[in-house]
Structure formats: C-alpha cells, structure tokens
C-alpha cells in the first residue's frame, strides 16, 4: 500500500495553507476555464461510490472529472456488489487497482475510514453521518465570493440541526478558517459534546437560545434539512423537535447589512427554510450548488498532486 496518498475525509486533513491553495485554484478554474475541458486528468479514472442518494455531489464530481479530461465511474449501492454485502475493504482494494481516486458517500465514519485505510488511492468523503467536508469547503468559497472578502473574522450562523453532518463540518471549518459560528438548535440536536466544548473553548462557536440571537450581526446564515439521510425513522419526532426553527426573512432584522443565506440542498420549503427566503435576494443557493463543481475540481487536482 502506498503511504504518501492524501485523503480528504474531514476539512482538517488539509492545512489552512493547503485549503487556501485549493480555493485559489478553484477561483482560477471558475473564472478562466468556465467549464472548458482540459487534459489535466487525461488517462485517469475516478470512482464515485454512493451508498446514499445524491444529485449535486454525484453530478458535480462526474462532470468535474470529465471536464478535467478524466473518466468518472459512478457506483451506487443497488447497482454494485455493495448491496450484496461485499466488504468495504475489498471494494477499496479492487477500485484502487482500476482508479486513481475514490469519492465515497456512506453512513458511519468507521466505514469511510475503512475505505480510506484499504484504498491505495486518495479517498474524498462525499458525505458521511459525521460530516460533509466538501460541501462546507465549497460553502466557504461561496461566502467569500458573495461577500468579496475572506471568511476569517466573520460571524456565520447555523440554524436548525446542530448535530447534523453539515453543522459538524461547519464547526470544524470555523476553527480552521478563523470565523465565528453562532448556532441556534434545539438542545437535543447540538454537536456532540466533545466537539462542541472544544469549539466553544477555542472561541469559534457560541450556542444561542433563539434564531434571532444566532443571526444577529452575521454575514452569512446556513441551514439544512431537519431529517438527514439515514434518519427517516425519526422524521415525526424531528418535525416536533424543530417546530419554530423555520428560517425566514424576519430572523434577519439584526443580521449584518447584505447578509446572505445558504442551504446545501435539497431543501424542504416550509420546514427548515421558508419559500420566500430561499427564493429571495439573500439566497445564494444556486451559485452555492454550482461552486461544488469548481472547488471539487481543484480539490481533486490538489490530492492528485496536479495543483501547481
Ligand atoms: N448538497 C448535496 O450534497 O447534495 P446531494 O445530496 O444532492 O449530493
Ligand atoms: N444533512 C443532509 C445533507 C444532504 C446533502 C443529509 O445528510 O441528508
């Protein structure tokens, strides 16, 4: 097994300097190439393995690899031997013989780690129960693009499920990129205690009792679904727990001027966000979705040693 490969299972797998290098390259790819095809990944293949549904992540990685001149191979649970119980460590070794990178969406972080441990090629976390690091890295790019300055020192809000993969990657991103995350979430849906306490102690996270309290002074406000993939059995309980957490324009009265709203999508209008807000002038959700393509292309190039 090669030991020099770089994985991206969490944001902290890259240093801040390296993350900045990826975001700078993404800017160049978006501004200069505008989706034009290059030969950067000529002769290389990337496996995109999806154990949960996906629209944006699947298409942005598949198209991104194609735009870089490589060959994407998409595997879903139902269409592969994963559905019949083939061990992840076997899939990891087999795919490493065919492909130059594995993009992997799964459930438990242990399964993600098993793929990374047994793959001899870089593995990118395309969402797990514990985090959605590519999405949040892309969201940092979108915030900086929309507001025209570095996220460092900003106040950014998280409203809704604070225990979700998205919220947990935002907690991690705040510590690494140097912004302050304010959070409004029901008490039973906060980040795990050790992650929360470490972030609060580091001064990068504060928990607020109201949405208005979290949004006050913020330049960007994020939310996500109340019931994540794999939690469907809890949906009724969650609908009750999150009652009153529907983000709307009124919550922005104390926000910074020009504050934007983000949602990684798919959205449930009338639950975590109301229709007026997601369709309104604060919303950057469509450029947020598009930026998946540019940032992930840059990330793949970086992990393959092709970024400079
Ligand atoms: N935001 C996101 O990851 O969307 P998909 O589930 O459609 O990939
Ligand atoms: N928290 C959501 C994100 C979807 C992109 C989920 O895991 O379903």
């Amino acid at each position: 097994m090669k030991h020099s490969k770089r994985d991206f299972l969490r944001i902290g797998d890259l240093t801040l300097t390296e993350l900045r290098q990826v975001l700078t390259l993404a800017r160049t790819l978006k501004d200069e190439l505008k989706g034009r095809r290059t030969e950067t990944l000529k002769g290389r293949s990337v496996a995109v393995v999806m154990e949960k549904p996906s629209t944006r992540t699947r298409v942005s990685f598949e198209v991104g690899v194609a735009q870089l001149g490589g060959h994407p191979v998409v595997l879903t649970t139902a269409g592969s031997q994963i559905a019949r119980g083939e061990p992840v460590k076997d899939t990891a070794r087999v795919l490493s013989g065919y492909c130059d990178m594995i993009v992997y969406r799964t459930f438990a972080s242990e399964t993600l780690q098993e793929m990374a441990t047994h793959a001899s090629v870089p593995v990118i976390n395309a969402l797990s129960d514990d985090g959605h690091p590519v999405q949040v890295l892309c969201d940092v790019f979108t915030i900086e693009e929309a507001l025209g300055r570095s996220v460092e020192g900003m106040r950014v809000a998280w409203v809704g499920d604070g225990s979700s993969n998205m919220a947990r990657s935002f907690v991690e991103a705040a510590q690494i990129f140097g912004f302050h995350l304010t959070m409004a979430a029901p008490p039973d849906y906060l980040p795990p205690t050790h992650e929360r306490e470490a972030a609060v102690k580091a001064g990068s996270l504060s928990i607020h009792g109201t949405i208005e309290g979290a949004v006050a002074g913020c330049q960007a406000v994020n939310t996500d679904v109340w019931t994540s993939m794999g939690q469907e059995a809890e949906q009724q309980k969650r609908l009750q727990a999150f009652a009153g957490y529907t983000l709307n324009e009124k919550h922005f009265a104390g926000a910074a001027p020009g504050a934007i709203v983000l949602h990684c999508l798919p959205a449930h209008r009338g639950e975590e966000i109301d229709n007026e807000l997601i369709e309104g002038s604060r919303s950057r959700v469509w450029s947020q979705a598009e930026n998946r393509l540019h940032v992930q292309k840059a990330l793949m190039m970086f992990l393959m040693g092709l970024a400079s």
Side-chain angles (χ1 to χ4, degrees), residues 69-92:
H71 182 83
V73 185
V74 177
L75 284 181
T76 59
T77 301
S80 69
Q81 298 290 4
I82 296 169
R84 297 178 63 246
E86 182 163 22
V88 172
K89 62 183 179 184
D90 293 3
T91 305

Side-chain angles (χ1 to χ4, degrees), residues 37 174 192 208 241 255 257 276 305:
R37 206 179 157 94
H208 298 259
E276 183 195 356

Side-chain angles (χ1 to χ4, degrees), residues 178-238:
F179 60 89
H180 186 81
L181 190 72
T182 62
M183 183 175 284
D188 290 342
Y189 295 91
L190 291 169
T193 309
H194 61 288
E195 292 173 23
R196 186 174 78 238
E197 287 180 351
V200 169
K201 197 172 164 198
S204 59
L205 174 69
S206 52
I207 310 293
H208 298 259
T210 61
I211 300 179
E212 289 82 356
V215 170
C218 284
Q219 285 94 0
V221 180
N222 302 274
T223 189
D224 184 19
V225 292
W226 293 340
T227 304
S228 286
M229 292 179 279
Q231 299 171 335
E232 289 77 9
E234 298 174 21
Q235 190 174 9
Q236 286 313 315
K237 185 178 124 195
R238 284 173 168 267

Side-chain angles (χ1 to χ4, degrees), residues 14-31:
L14 267 58
T15 65
L16 178 59
T17 305
E18 291 171 333
L19 293 165
R20 281 285 166 211
Q21 196 183 335
V22 170
L23 294 182
T24 301
L25 176 59
R27 186 77 262 153
T28 306
L29 294 175
K30 183 171 183 180
D31 290 346

